[in-house]
Amino acid sequence: MTMEMDVMHSIQQDMNLIDILWKQDIDLGASREVFDYNHRQKEHELQRQLEQQEEKRLHLLREQEKALLAQLQLDEETGEYVPRPVALPPLQSAIIPLEVSQDVSFPADSGDAMSFDECLQLLAETFPVGETENSSVGLNTTEVRPMLSPELAAVPSPTLSPDPLSASPSQAMCPELEEAWMELLSLPELQPCLNIKMEDAVETTAYPLPPSPDAQNPNCQFYQTNSAEVETNAINICPVEFLNTVEASVPSMVQSDHLTQADSPQFHTDFAAESFGEMFYSNPVQKENTGQHGLDGYNSDAMSDMASQPFTPAGLYSLSPGDAFDKHDLMAELPDSDSGISSHTSPNASSPGKSVYGDGSFHHSDSDMEEMDHNPGSAETDFSEMFSINFEPDDLQRTLSVSALERSEEQMEGKLEPHKMDSVEECGQSGAPFTKDKKRRSDARLSRDEQRAKALKIPLSVSRIINLPVDDFKELLSKHHLNDAQMALVQDIRRRGKNKVAAQNCRKRKMENIVGLEGELDSLKEEKERLLSEKVQKAAHLKEMKQQLNSLYLEVFSKLRDEKGNSYSPSEYSLQQSTNGSIFLVPRVKKTLAKSDIRHMSSA
DNA sequence: CTCCGTTGTCATCGT
DNA sequence: AAACGATGACAACGG
């Protein structure tokens, strides 16, 4: 028990680290310049909208979680949250149904955990078979999950109903919830919350619930991510009321944002079976029991690292023990695509990265993929280089740091590349011609650098050469003993890559300045027009005033009389006003002499 | 063919 | 001094 608590504490620490690294990735990704300014702005707005939606969903999730916890009680013996007895008189009717769609035999050598037969036995004792089929018998698949062997987990699962909504309610529940959870779990903002939940779950579910027939089903959609496991720990045993709320809230979410993944259950299941099935063996509880993978030396950190990594073939096979998989063959099977994301997209999954991590941000860069495409023979070395750092157990902190850098690098590229790819796809329809061009030339440039690097047998990926911080870059160089030519080329590649970004930023700023100056010019023109019209108006007004003054002046003159009663001529005299307000009649011709002739006039 | 926009690259300067 | 970013200038490329 103490051991388990220690192990769980390490899991907690790993999850905290993952959380921190996630945030770092997000920060780095957010600061990453996206080169197409206009598109970046649009994407930014879209992202803002998505974030708002996701915040709402997060809020909803928390409310539902509260509702769930309110209906659960802590089992003091097992540390599990279990449904309150009052809430579910018949247990069978209160637990979520998870249909078994495939029977899979379990290997007997699954470690010290309960064997599958034992699980079945216990299940049969707990739940009569007849009631477990179509009634809503709860199945905590996650508890059985660790007992699945990786071989079993790697078995491709049969295709589920492509349209969950058309299936029976009990069948539809699982894919819907699964998709909803995957969508929710894909939100980086949710990671802290989920990590917290994971900690709670780890702390409170030290002992698994009795296994169920659904344990036979490795396809269960809850069988996917750590976070999903956490959720299932809560959900699979939650009362119907809560499930109904979840179910009611799910379709809208699914339909709103997951239309493109309507046919993705296959991916999820495959993904679950192939990647996380193994990943769950890194669960230290199970690890101490099984220890059959040869991963024990590093999987606690590497796995937790990989847990936040994308599901990529590379990531998966980098975990495969003892080169059980031929990476080369595998890479050769990757579709030759000029977009990073589709290179690891299963045929049935439109966007696995998005479905799992929200934005499809995890994948290899163009350069990486191109590297593989162009030099399939070197893919293994590339991957060994790319992931070797993850598996150096001697320096966990550094490993995590560099792994984070790699991830952030990949994520930065991920934020960029899908954007590019989307641009290509959108522009193919909406007709912005330059993006394809840009993409192609970007590939060409990267290819040149890749080829140069290959020519000198530089064991580093161009993206890492360019994007790593200087300290990590130097450390990386120190790990690989490069000759002068290689070092010079690496420096050139780094300089070019950084300068390329700088040039793009510079041009972007220049365009922004131009746009700003154009706006300023427009406003100045408007101001000029306004002032001109105001000037005209004032001039007209002034003219009118002058006319009025002139007429008034003449009127005054016409009323002035001298001693003889004669009127003064305006051409010979003018009226002037002194500082004290007195008005004088001044002769126009002889002003110097006029002072003597000044005739005092009464003030007006 | 030229023209023009985009992009990568180099040289240089300032921080 | 080294690293880096900013920017002008140039060339290549493609529409």
Side-chain angles (χ1 to χ4, degrees):
Chain A
M1 188 61 181
T2 310
M3 199 172 187
E4 288 178 355
M5 291 307 291
D6 290 339
V7 171
M8 289 168 189
H9 186 64
S10 69
I11 290 180
Q12 239 173 290
Q13 287 180 331
D14 287 346
M15 295 306 292
N16 287 336
L17 273 173
I18 291 169
D19 186 16
I20 293 169
L21 297 178
W22 254 99
K23 289 173 179 173
Q24 288 176 344
D25 291 352
I26 293 168
D27 290 339
L28 287 170
S31 63
R32 172 75 171 185
E33 293 289 345
V34 181
F35 304 143
D36 187 343
Y37 175 63
N38 292 330
H39 197 100
R40 189 168 61 89
Q41 279 186 322
K42 291 177 186 173
E43 195 175 57
H44 191 67
E45 293 174 2
L46 278 174
Q47 190 175 356
R48 214 179 303 159
Q49 293 176 357
L50 279 176
E51 284 174 358
Q52 290 175 352
Q53 293 178 359
E54 286 156 2
E55 282 179 3
K56 290 177 183 174
R57 286 180 202 162
L58 181 57
H59 184 72
L60 179 64
L61 177 65
R62 284 174 178 158
E63 294 294 326
Q64 291 171 343
E65 188 181 343
K66 285 178 187 174
L68 166 66
L69 291 177
Q71 299 178 55
L72 298 178
Q73 69 179 11
L74 181 65
D75 188 327
E76 295 179 357
E77 290 182 3
T78 65
E80 298 173 13
Y81 277 101
V82 298
R84 293 184 186 279
V86 182
L88 52 155
L91 182 60
Q92 291 84 348
S93 64
I95 306 179
I96 181 173
L98 295 177
E99 279 287 320
V100 178
S101 61
Q102 184 190 24
D103 288 336
V104 178
S105 61
F106 283 72
D109 58 348
S110 301
D112 296 339
M114 294 169 66
S115 71
F116 180 61
D117 288 338
E118 291 170 337
C119 294
L120 282 180
Q121 177 80 21
L122 183 55
L123 185 72
E125 294 170 0
T126 307
F127 305 118
V129 175
E131 297 180 16
T132 60
E133 277 302 320
N134 287 326
S135 64
S136 54
V137 172
L139 301 172
N140 195 322
T141 60
T142 63
E143 312 304 339
V144 189
R145 192 177 308 150
M147 291 182 281
L148 295 172
S149 74
E151 292 82 4
L152 175 65
V155 171
S157 56
T159 305
L160 297 178
S161 171
D163 181 9
L165 299 177
S166 66
S168 67
S170 61
Q171 288 173 323
M173 174 82 77
C174 210
E176 287 176 359
L177 283 174
E178 173 263 330
E179 286 192 1
W181 280 119
M182 293 313 295
E183 184 176 62
L184 285 170
L185 296 174
S186 69
L187 309 179
E189 295 85 344
L190 264 173
Q191 295 305 316
C193 172
L194 294 176
N195 288 338
I196 292 170
K197 287 181 64 61
M198 168 63 96
E199 293 164 10
D200 294 340
V202 168
E203 288 172 357
T204 58
T205 59
Y207 297 99
L209 287 176
S212 66
D214 282 355
Q216 302 173 54
N217 182 8
N219 309 331
C220 178
Q221 288 79 9
F222 290 119
Y223 186 93
Q224 291 180 359
T225 68
N226 291 2
S227 302
E229 177 181 16
V230 174
E231 299 305 329
T232 53
N233 279 338
I235 284 182
N236 288 357
I237 57 174
C238 70
V240 169
E241 298 84 21
F242 173 68
L243 289 175
N244 288 340
T245 62
V246 173
E247 187 180 19
S249 63
V250 163
S252 62
M253 290 193 269
V254 173
Q255 290 169 0
S256 61
D257 284 336
H258 262 267
L259 290 176
T260 58
Q261 301 186 42
D263 57 346
S264 61
Q266 178 64 50
F267 161 75
H268 292 317
T269 52
D270 289 347
F271 167 64
E274 294 181 9
S275 65
F276 285 96
E278 292 186 3
M279 190 176 299
F280 287 128
Y281 282 89
S282 68
N283 182 341
V285 177
Q286 292 301 317
K287 184 176 69 181
E288 83 177 305
N289 290 337
T290 60
Q292 59 184 348
H293 258 255
L295 299 173
D296 299 346
Y298 55 77
N299 62 358
S300 67
D301 55 346
M303 288 292 193
S304 60
D305 188 14
M306 292 303 297
S308 59
Q309 290 263 6
F311 167 59
T312 64
L316 174 60
Y317 290 100
S318 67
L319 290 174
S320 61
D323 288 328
F325 296 90
D326 186 343
K327 298 168 186 172
H328 182 146
D329 290 348
L330 210 136
M331 297 318 298
E333 291 175 2
L334 286 172
D336 187 356
S337 165
D338 62 349
S339 70
I341 193 166
S342 61
S343 295
H344 54 81
T345 300
S346 75
N348 291 340
S350 57
S351 61
K354 180 179 178 182
S355 69
V356 179
Y357 289 98
D359 57 357
S361 59
F362 290 103
H363 55 74
H364 298 294
S365 65
D366 276 357
S367 60
D368 292 333
M369 301 312 296
E370 196 161 322
E371 194 173 355
M372 300 160 198
D373 292 342
H374 290 177
N375 296 284
S378 63
E380 185 166 359
T381 58
D382 291 339
F383 273 100
S384 63
E385 190 275 331
M386 199 175 299
F387 289 94
S388 61
I389 286 179
N390 291 358
F391 302 139
E392 294 172 2
D394 54 345
D395 189 352
L396 176 61
Q397 275 310 109
R398 198 64 198 155
T399 297
L400 288 176
S401 170
V402 178
S403 299
L405 288 167
E406 290 178 357
R407 264 208 320 280
S408 57
E409 166 196 338
E410 291 175 1
Q411 194 172 29
M412 284 191 290
E413 293 171 1
K415 288 204 185 324
L416 175 65
E417 297 303 331
H419 164 78
K420 275 188 176 178
M421 187 197 67
D422 291 343
S423 299
V424 172
E425 291 175 352
E426 290 173 10
C427 293
Q429 297 163 355
S430 63
F434 70 93
T435 314
K436 272 186 181 175
D437 180 29
K438 179 173 78 175
K439 176 80 179 140
R440 209 176 305 145
R441 246 178 292 175
S442 170
D443 290 350
R445 208 278 303 171
L446 289 175
S447 285
R448 283 205 298 273
D449 275 344
E450 291 287 343
Q451 288 166 2
R452 289 171 187 156
K454 291 298 173 191
L456 292 186
K457 294 182 167 54
I458 291 174
L460 304 170
S461 70
V462 167
S463 57
R464 294 180 68 189
I465 290 173
I466 295 171
N467 294 321
L468 278 181
V470 61
D471 291 340
D472 300 282
F473 178 63
K474 284 180 176 175
E475 183 182 342
L476 202 60
L477 290 184
S478 67
K479 285 183 180 177
H480 302 83
H481 301 289
L482 305 177
N483 59 33
D484 290 346
Q486 287 176 321
M487 199 68 82
L489 178 58
V490 165
Q491 297 287 351
D492 276 350
I493 290 173
R494 185 171 172 85
R495 178 180 51 78
R496 275 194 291 268
K498 287 194 172 300
N499 186 249
K500 183 177 79 172
V501 176
Q504 286 164 340
N505 291 337
C506 183
R507 284 164 178 148
K508 186 194 70 178
R509 269 193 304 275
K510 193 186 288 184
M511 293 304 296
E512 287 174 347
N513 285 336
I514 290 173
V515 171
L517 288 173
E518 284 176 348
E520 193 176 346
L521 185 62
D522 288 342
S523 63
L524 287 174
K525 282 180 179 175
E526 290 178 3
E527 176 81 358
K528 181 185 174 184
E529 292 297 320
R530 187 182 61 79
L531 291 174
L532 279 177
S533 64
E534 190 177 356
K535 178 186 173 184
V536 171
Q537 187 180 351
K538 299 292 184 189
H541 186 60
L542 181 62
K543 185 180 178 181
E544 183 183 356
M545 297 284 286
K546 282 181 177 177
Q547 287 175 348
Q548 290 178 356
L549 178 63
N550 190 42
S551 58
L552 186 62
Y553 191 86
L554 294 177
E555 183 181 352
V556 170
F557 258 96
S558 66
K559 293 181 178 177
L560 290 177
R561 293 290 183 272
D562 58 7
E563 296 85 351
K564 301 175 184 177
N566 299 322
S567 63
Y568 292 100
S569 167
S571 59
E572 294 178 1
Y573 297 92
S574 66
L575 288 171
Q576 292 187 1
Q577 188 175 23
S578 68
T579 54
N580 61 2
S582 302
I583 293 179
F584 303 94
L585 186 64
V586 182
R588 286 182 185 276
V589 183
K590 299 175 182 177
K591 284 189 177 179
T592 55
L593 301 177
K595 286 183 180 177
S596 60
D597 296 333
I598 287 175
R599 290 166 171 77
H600 252 93
M601 309 272 302
S602 63
S603 295

